[in-house]
Amino acid sequence: VVSVCQVGTIIMWLIDTGQKVKQFSKAHGSSEVTCLTQDPSETRLFTGSTDGTVKVWDFNGHCYHNLECAGGQPADVGQILVLKRSVVVVGWARCITVFRNSAFKEFHVKPSEWKGGQEHAEDILSCAFMSPHTLATGSYDGEIVIWNTNSEHASRHCAHRSRRNLKSRGQNFTPSIVKEYSTLSVSKRVMDDTRSRLSELSRNNLKRSAKSRSGTSLSSKTIEEQSDVGWAVVRLIFLENRRNTAASSGANLVSCGDRGWVRFWNTAQCTLAAEYVAHEKVGSIIMATDPSNHFIATADAEGFVKVWDIQEYAVSSVDQPITDPPLLVSQFQPHDDQINSLEILERNERLLIISASSDCTVAVWDINGIRIGIFGQEEHWKIEPYQPPKEMKADKIQQREEDNNSVTPSEEVNEDPQWEPCKEAITEPHTYRVNTWDKTVLGKQYQSLRVQKRERKQPTTIPDLPYLQWEKTGALLAGPYSALQTQELKPVQTLIKPDAEKYFYKTPLNGQFQTRLPALAETLTTSFDEKSMFPSYILEFEKKMKNYHIVLLNQNQPGRKNEPSPVQNFGSQNEQIGAIVPLFAHRNTSSKGPVGIKMQSVSGIQKSSASVASSFTMD
């Protein structure tokens, strides 16, 4: 369930528990929101505001389009109707504003031209659609126009209860009403103020009509009847299940508006089938119907809701409109203030009525007047299948008690005239015990139920077995095994063992088995050779680094300074002495320690036994 307030706060609720799911605010900035609807796929939200715009939202709060209805001027959007190929918006002008689906390519969408032009004399307040191409619009003066959405032209006018129709019937009465209503404009007020102002105007018209009785040509009865008629059509609803009844003069369109009137119309013949006052002494009312069109709910400005059964109401043709109301199913008050929106839905085999009011609450009731709860309350509810009302339960309980009290004559006489007490109970009362299974009614009933529940089938005859007749024959008690027929076991013969090689080894074609290949570890006979594994320059570099490490160790040990080093011995064995030259040409003062060195031959120096090896360190 989606609800919206005037300041533009849109809230999503769970119908099964009443919890709030999501919320986003300021849908239209500082402008007031007047209406809310959904597309047929129920994936987009359409909100109308007093700034003359309609916005298209998704359920995450993202706005896709901004429909400019009044050309950037402020205007009250009364109702939004989403069709298959267009979006119809009414509420502030005398003509219909339409937006084609082909124009929904940019964020700001401009309206298209309605081909039918203007057919209403006053502002359009409501509209309704019935597939495939029937559109109905109701105006402020009570006139209903039937349109064809394919051609966008008007086909019929229903003006039986409009100000235009009564103009020719009374000249003195009608101008006062026209003057009074012409001072108001729908484009200058919010839809919530419409209903309250309509009620005030109705009271003023009654007073004015009473004062002008002396100067009018109409009778007092006619004036009273006309003064009770409401003009503005606030809601229009097509009865989809009565699609075929229009040809048989049945009603398929329902309208409601000022002074609590509800009217049933036949759109095929453009006639009024029935009308009645649903709420007396109130201003404007709103209504809603269930998906099967069996019930209709009406709500007024006092917070009351009435549910009517219209399944068999105005389904056939009559000479005069029906004035008797349909069957009233229930009546309750879910709110303390004016009800602004009303919806009926089916959930868990139960028809629910959701109403939004000016008291800032959204309530859930069923059609029988049983309260479910208010959205956002602390205690979560659970919608269960339909339960009868309390009054019906009380009637059933009372009827059940009456049925139990009324006893048939056959049940009254249930005594045994030949009953006598047991003799043992009189002669030996101390030792006498009553068998509850055989002597009491409760025991007999329980025993019979146990027998019926599980009946054990026993064999009809017992076989003549020796171990059962041991008492008669005098034989020893041996048990049931003595009746078994036993004999000696046969001797065990020599077991024939299967040939394992025949069944578990596959013989090759030539009749010889292949020898097993040796393992890799068994074939490795040579030792690991580093010279064949690594290149020669790596082995030489490793040998030089070992010698250099030996030189460093000899220098750090003071007792071995005079001893010849392996490097000296290595140099004396060659024709030329090897001088140690640092690898790096530049000296790095930031680090200490030995640096890499390499051996380089120096020409012109003869071999000597007193060759010297030097190293360089960084200070």
Side-chain angles (χ1 to χ4, degrees), residues 557-568:
Q557 295 179 3
R560 301 179 58 182
K561 290 183 179 180
N562 298 327
E563 296 180 1
S565 62
V567 179
Q568 297 173 355

Side-chain angles (χ1 to χ4, degrees), residues 502-571:
K502 180 179 179 182
Y503 294 100
F504 297 100
Y505 293 98
K506 293 183 179 180
T507 307
L509 298 177
N510 53 6
Q512 297 179 358
F513 290 96
Q514 297 180 357
T515 58
R516 185 176 61 85
L517 297 176
L520 181 62
E522 299 175 357
T523 59
L524 292 178
T525 57
T526 60
S527 60
F528 180 74
D529 187 10
E530 293 183 354
K531 295 181 180 181
S532 62
M533 294 294 293
F534 300 101
S536 59
Y537 68 93
I538 295 179
L539 299 176
E540 292 177 0
F541 181 76
E542 183 183 7
K543 184 176 181 180
K544 294 176 182 180
M545 292 302 297
K546 290 180 179 180
N547 295 333
Y548 173 70
H549 291 162
I550 295 173
V551 172
L552 294 179
L553 292 175
N554 294 334
Q555 290 181 359
N556 294 333
Q557 295 179 3
R560 301 179 58 182
K561 290 183 179 180
N562 298 327
E563 296 180 1
S565 62
V567 179
Q568 297 173 355
N569 297 332
F570 173 77

Side-chain angles (χ1 to χ4, degrees), residues 433-444:
R433 294 291 180 270
V434 179
N435 188 357
T436 56
W437 298 105
D438 298 334
K439 303 296 183 179
T440 61
V441 179
L442 181 61
K444 292 179 180 180

